[in-house]
Amino acid sequence: MGWPYQIFALDAAQKQARRQSLDRHAVYAQLSALIPIALVGLYRLGVWLVRRASPQRGAYSAVPASPALKQRRRSITGSFASTLRRIAWWLGDDVTFLGMNWGQRDQIIFGVSWTLWLVLLCVIGTGNDYLHLTKRFGIVALSQFPLQYLLALKSLNPIAFAFGSSHEQVNRWHRVLGWIIYILLLMHACLYLNFYVQEGILGERIVRLIPALGIASIIGMSLMNATALRVIRNYSYRVFFITHLTVAMLLPPAIFFHSHHGGRQYVIEALLVFLIDLIKRKLDTVTAPATLKLIPGTNLISIVASIPSSKASRFRKYPGMHVYLSIPAAARRSSVVSPAYLLFEFAFNPFTIASVNEETGDLILVARRHKGPMTKTLGQFAEEALDGAKIPLSIEGPYGCATWFPNLAGSDFDRILLVAGGVGATFILPLYRNQPPIHRCSLRQVISWHHIYFLTRRKSLDLRARGLIANENPTARVQMVWAVRKASDATWPAVNISEGILDDENIQLYLTGNILADTNDVPRLSEESEAVELTGDGLTDIGQIHKRPDLRKIVDDVFRQGVEERVAVLVCGPEEMARELRSYVGVWVQKGRNVWWHNENFAW
């Protein structure tokens, strides 16, 4: 069978019918995405209203060993629920091919399915009209622009609300839809270029404004998708971010003037969504004086920002939230016309809220100093502000999906496993402790903590700390695992919270670096201020401390205790750690266990 499409001229009535068909199928493409999302949102809103209107009664919660739970698990409903959990977990697994991570399985399946649906809408009803097919690819792609910009919103994201999520989690669908739109527009451009070649008018048309804007838009989208590749992002995230933001701002006006025959309404919708979110984010941004200090023996920076009391409650309400930090013009040291100055117009780095001072409302962040411009500059501020001088910083937020978390301190779960790697504890610790009152510790206390890490294995300073989860839900077995490269990397909680963590039997600390080398980082103290004595007995445990956590054993120990137990697993740390932990938890999910999983990361 040969190529069915032909190039031929149409009269005015036929052109009008083609225009109506183009507009109609573009509406189908847009509504087929927005209607299901709206229905889910209305359903969630209805459930919330019913719960608000219903009298609050204490619900019966059977103990894990209860025969009622065993009977429920073996029932048809229980088996169906277990099957759904297995499918949902399978869909959330990463797909690795040729040594590369291609995304999660649900992204690939949905992406392929949605692409096929949109291609069907591009083809159906076009007959053998080549230009109809060419234009259909373009307008169907444009119909997805408002949805694409909605998926990218940080502050006012109705899709995140509809699915009880956050913009970080919704953003992965933004990436999928971005590739789909790019493929459709690329097809539109290639078909049009072929039309110009077939008609012998290529040289004449590409220098005109409308085709030139189309070609420029495709080049911009190609650059945006190329810099979004993992290898580019790992090399320079700033290149990806600046390219992405620049193209996202220039693309709507370019396409608006390019699509003069139809589809401009979708560009206007996308632009309005972008502007509304930008205004809302500006209103949510506060510039606050901050004190920056280097944490001794580490590449960590403690940031304490004085938030206005009128906004402090927002940051305190939910533990585990994060903010976007930027450096305002008043704090920049370079010239206004210098590249370094302009770079910070595009620099917004996410940092988890480590804690909020209940008395003063101070916001406390912990940042790791890297080679990037943001953390490098913050490190310079910390080095220069030895006299306690305050630096103005712009703080946007809070953001995160902790607002949608189940009640970890309630009776929803029988076991809770919290895993943190490095500064990932800034997310995990507030969830575990729910931000108890905060005050400063002296340098003597900090150094004492540092020494004790070398001499004890999951043993403690007598600071009598206990997590809120364990207090509020005493029947739940709570375990927190915290892996750090060296002992000094775990000293920041001693600086930022009044109660210690070392005496908490639910917290396990692991040092994965060279412990003997770490002792060189600890300043010498006077005999009076030494917290412990370095003895031979103390050194016998160094080999046990100096190891990575055995995540397989930790997970198996959590799950093998009871078949009926409901388990929550939360992780924040390196991507490899989260992937390994998920693989071990997945074994038990496939056995039918009821697991709620959350991986907090800022991969994008």
Side-chain angles (χ1 to χ4, degrees), residues 151 153-154 157 160 165-171 322 324 399-400:
L151 289 169
L153 299 187
K154 284 185 170 63
N157 196 319
S165 185
S166 67
H167 77 274
E168 293 86 8
Q169 294 181 327
V170 170
N171 185 263
H322 63 271
Y324 282 85
Y399 297 113

Side-chain angles (χ1 to χ4, degrees), residues 13-197:
Q14 290 173 322
K15 287 183 178 180
Q16 179 64 21
R18 183 171 67 186
R19 171 49 51 195
Q20 293 174 350
S21 177
L22 289 169
D23 293 339
R24 183 170 59 253
H25 285 84
V27 171
Y28 293 162
Q30 186 178 63
L31 293 182
S32 62
L34 296 181
I35 288 178
I37 295 172
L39 291 176
V40 172
L42 289 174
Y43 169 77
R44 289 182 59 88
L45 179 61
V47 170
W48 179 77
L49 291 175
V50 169
R51 288 178 178 175
R52 285 289 300 269
S54 301
Q56 300 295 322
R57 298 177 180 177
Y60 169 73
S61 181
V63 297
S66 169
L69 287 181
K70 184 177 182 180
Q71 182 179 3
R72 187 187 307 169
R73 174 172 58 87
R74 293 182 174 180
S75 66
I76 296 177
T77 303
S79 298
F80 181 70
S82 178
T83 301
L84 288 180
R85 289 195 297 268
R86 292 191 188 98
I87 294 174
W89 188 271
W90 179 80
L91 289 172
D93 284 338
D94 290 333
V95 175
T96 303
F97 181 67
L98 298 177
M100 296 178 60
N101 185 352
W102 295 81
Q104 294 175 322
R105 192 172 281 115
D106 56 355
Q107 289 178 280
I108 295 175
I109 293 176
F110 172 82
V112 172
S113 302
W114 194 247
T115 301
L116 293 176
W117 165 244
L118 293 182
V119 169
L120 176 64
L121 290 177
C122 291
V123 174
I124 191 171
T126 57
N128 62 344
D129 186 350
Y130 180 90
L131 284 180
H132 192 170
L133 176 70
T134 302
K135 294 174 182 289
R136 187 78 71 82
F137 271 103
I139 198 167
V140 168
L142 285 186
S143 72
Q144 304 298 292
F145 261 63
L147 178 61
Q148 174 70 348
Y149 278 74
L150 281 174
L151 289 169
L153 299 187
K154 284 185 170 63
S155 184
L156 296 173
N157 196 319
I159 300 174
F161 170 80
F163 292 95
S165 185
S166 67
H167 77 274
E168 293 86 8
Q169 294 181 327
V170 170
N171 185 263
R172 66 194 188 101
W173 300 110
H174 169 77
R175 303 195 299 269
V176 172
L177 186 59
W179 279 102
I180 296 174
I181 292 174
Y182 175 67
I183 291 171
L184 296 180
L185 288 179
L186 189 62
M187 287 294 299
H188 170 75
C190 290
L191 289 172
Y192 247 121
L193 289 174
N194 179 63
F195 167 71
Y196 294 153
V197 171

Side-chain angles (χ1 to χ4, degrees), residues 216-229:
S217 299
I218 286 296
I219 293 174
M221 292 191 68
S222 299
L223 286 174
M224 184 165 58
N225 284 278
T227 56
L229 296 174

Side-chain angles (χ1 to χ4, degrees), residues 450 452-456 482-490 508-516 518 542-549:
H450 198 151
I452 287 172
Y453 271 108
F454 289 104
L455 303 179
T456 62
W482 186 10
V484 292
R485 187 174 299 277
K486 54 184 180 178
S488 53
D489 287 338
Q508 300 175 8
L509 298 165
Y510 292 86
L511 305 182
T512 63
N514 189 332
I515 292 180
L516 295 179
D518 287 345
I542 286 183
Q544 294 177 322
I545 300 175
H546 179 54
K547 67 176 184 180
R548 297 182 181 275

